[in-house]
Amino acid sequence: MAALYPAHFKISTVIRPNILALQPYRCARDDYNQGTLLDANENAFGSSIVASASTDVLPDELKETLSMNLHRYPDPSHPAIKERIASLRGLSGADQVFLGVGSDEIIDLLIRVAVVPGGTEKILTTPPTYGMYAVCAQVNDVGVVKVPLELSGARGEGGAHGRFSANVEQIKQAVVADPAIKLIFLCSPGNPTGTLIPLASIRALLEFHEFKGIVVVDEAYIDFAEDVQGSSAASLVEQYANLVVMQTLSKSFGLAAIRLGIALAQPPLIQILSNTKAPYNISTPTAHLALSALSPESIARMQSVVSGLVAGRTALIAGLSELAPFGVGPVIGANDANFVVVPILARPTGAEGAQGAPDSVRAHAVYKTLAEERAVVVRFRGHEPGCAGCLRITVGTEAENTEVLEKLKDVLGEM
């Protein structure tokens, strides 16, 4: 077996000893999945769901689901799905792919396999970022070290957008100062920043010999980036043993309801996640839909939809810029995702309508009024570092984008 790269990384020192020694639960379907199956204590008479009950008729879209042998446990490994994902992301095989119940299961699993609970060992995050990293850390009783993203380009100066970037040098300093950090979580494109982290920055952390742990790159929004193949850390997986890339079918594929998360990594790490997960974590209906979504025709459809959303993002940003007289500041971030983040400024004052600073109180009031009185729901992010006064607005359909702009203008005009 070839030596793992980089040389300073040893999986045996990163993964908890009890996990390395774990004898994984062996599912009935790991051995056989055809024939007269009397090995898993399933209900041989089938599902108890009937086509009609009282006056409720089963919806047509669920009838196909009932034909999927729901009384049988699902495939525990789903190799066909993994092969399609590996092909889509330019990897050499299914053994570099892990499937989870959304990315959240993968985040939790990574913390559980690598970080000893009790608060001594830690993860590192780069706020503003996805909140589940810290939530899973707290659930697992591990510490969190925070190295905030840098915001360059003052908002409002010549109309320039603020740009978030990972402070690689500060991250390096943090892991040197605290060797108990086992995982670095990077969100790229960021949530809520919408900003890609350059592959050069990710490489710098993977190569940093003082950090013996794993770099986790969360790419939930990667398909909305301009150059997906050139921007994705998936291109680094086959080189770096200390890298995990997370992706999902929730965003670009439009399948948030089926909860299918993806981890891409070298086989030893994938095997550890597989040994630790729940035995049948991906349901049969989820697997069926995921396999369909990863067909060539569906991937082409996804890419077409993404193009439409990117065009809508451009139009939404243009529309928000026209609301500057009402106190909407320039969009922040680099806009590589399917949302935009804008600061709501203090109410314009004076004859010339001079703009104030980002105003979280006003932004929160706008958020509440939009939701409760105008039936338009956006996300208040004003308490995140670097996001004072900010609202996060998902790119919708053309009609939805028009609606949010019109109603945002109306609400701002009232407060």
Side-chain angles (χ1 to χ4, degrees):
M1 181 177 177
L4 298 180
Y5 183 84
H8 66 260
F9 176 75
K10 292 182 173 56
I11 197 168
S12 60
T13 63
V14 177
I15 303 303
R16 296 167 57 191
N18 59 306
I19 300 297
L20 291 172
L22 179 67
Q23 293 297 315
Y25 177 79
R26 188 149 190 87
C27 306
R29 295 299 155 258
D30 283 326
D31 296 322
Y32 306 103
N33 56 20
Q34 294 181 344
T36 301
L37 300 175
L38 302 176
D39 58 341
N41 303 333
E42 299 154 327
N43 186 331
F45 285 82
S47 165
S48 61
I49 299 176
V50 293
S52 63
S54 301
T55 58
D56 298 324
V57 178
L58 192 72
D60 288 341
E61 60 267 23
L62 292 183
K63 291 178 181 176
E64 183 181 0
T65 303
L66 282 181
S67 69
M68 295 180 188
N69 289 330
L70 299 183
H71 62 301
R72 299 295 183 192
Y73 285 111
D75 184 336
S77 56
H78 304 289
I81 297 174
K82 293 176 181 178
E83 287 166 4
R84 289 188 179 184
I85 291 170
S87 176
L88 176 64
R89 300 310 184 189
L91 300 178
S92 60
D95 59 352
Q96 295 171 315
V97 181
F98 173 83
L99 305 179
V101 183
S103 296
D104 296 335
E105 182 188 23
I106 297 168
I107 295 166
D108 181 69
L109 268 179
L110 286 167
I111 292 174
R112 282 198 283 138
V113 301
V115 191
V116 175
T120 301
E121 293 192 340
K122 303 166 186 174
I123 68 169
L124 184 148
T125 66
T126 58
T129 193
Y130 183 44
M132 280 303 293
Y133 311 141
V135 169
C136 288
Q138 185 170 356
V139 168
N140 287 284
D141 193 22
V142 304
V144 180
V145 173
K146 299 178 181 180
V147 178
L149 297 173
E150 290 184 310
L151 180 60
S152 59
R155 286 175 269 177
E157 290 183 1
H161 297 180
R163 289 288 187 269
F164 285 94
S165 60
N167 192 324
V168 173
E169 291 309 312
Q170 284 195 7
I171 294 173
K172 288 181 177 179
Q173 292 171 18
V175 299
V176 169
D178 194 344
I181 295 171
K182 303 290 288 294
L183 302 172
I184 295 173
F185 281 95
L186 303 174
C187 198
S188 177
N191 177 11
T193 67
T195 303
L196 278 166
I197 296 175
L199 292 187
S201 297
I202 296 170
R203 280 184 182 274
L205 294 173
L206 292 167
E207 297 273 1
F208 186 51
H209 69 279
E210 298 276 2
F211 179 56
K212 311 300 184 185
I214 297 168
V215 177
V216 184
V217 183
D218 187 345
E219 293 189 342
Y221 301 94
I222 193 64
D223 288 318
F224 300 102
E226 183 176 351
D227 176 14
V228 177
Q229 293 301 113
S231 303
S232 174
S235 63
L236 306 179
V237 164
E238 296 199 346
Q239 180 179 3
Y240 291 97
N242 53 342
L243 171 66
V244 175
V245 178
M246 296 192 304
Q247 296 183 352
T248 180
L249 296 191
S250 293
K251 309 300 182 182
S252 59
F253 283 88
L255 291 171
I258 75 170
R259 310 307 301 129
L260 198 288
I262 299 159
L264 309 175
Q266 291 191 8
L269 261 176
I270 294 298
Q271 188 61 59
I272 286 167
L273 294 175
S274 299
N275 291 349
T276 313
K277 73 174 181 69
Y280 304 102
N281 62 331
I282 306 301
S283 73
T284 295
T286 289
H288 176 80
L289 291 167
L291 195 62
S292 297
L294 291 162
S295 69
E297 298 81 5
S298 294
I299 290 172
R301 166 66 176 164
M302 176 273 285
Q303 292 167 339
S304 174
V305 168
V306 165
S307 295
L309 283 167
V310 169
R313 182 179 68 198
T314 300
L316 180 60
I317 291 171
L320 288 166
S321 69
E322 295 177 3
L323 299 183
F326 296 87
V328 176
V331 170
I332 66 173
N335 306 309
D336 295 310
N338 68 332
F339 57 83
V340 297
V341 179
V342 289
I344 302 301
L345 310 180
R347 186 176 180 84
T349 59
E352 298 181 358
Q355 301 287 4
D359 187 340
S360 290
V361 173
R362 189 180 187 218
H364 191 265
V366 169
Y367 152 72
K368 293 280 285 183
T369 303
L370 279 174
E372 296 174 5
E373 299 181 18
R374 302 296 200 279
V376 171
V377 182
V378 298
R379 195 79 181 265
F380 174 70
R381 300 279 81 180
H383 297 319
E384 301 275 350
C387 297
C390 283
L391 300 179
R392 191 189 71 195
I393 305 173
T394 304
V395 179
T397 63
E398 183 177 357
E400 289 171 334
N401 293 340
T402 299
E403 181 183 13
V404 72
L405 289 169
E406 291 175 349
K407 292 185 176 180
L408 180 58
K409 179 180 178 180
D410 290 344
V411 170
L412 286 167
E414 297 171 358
M415 62 178 59

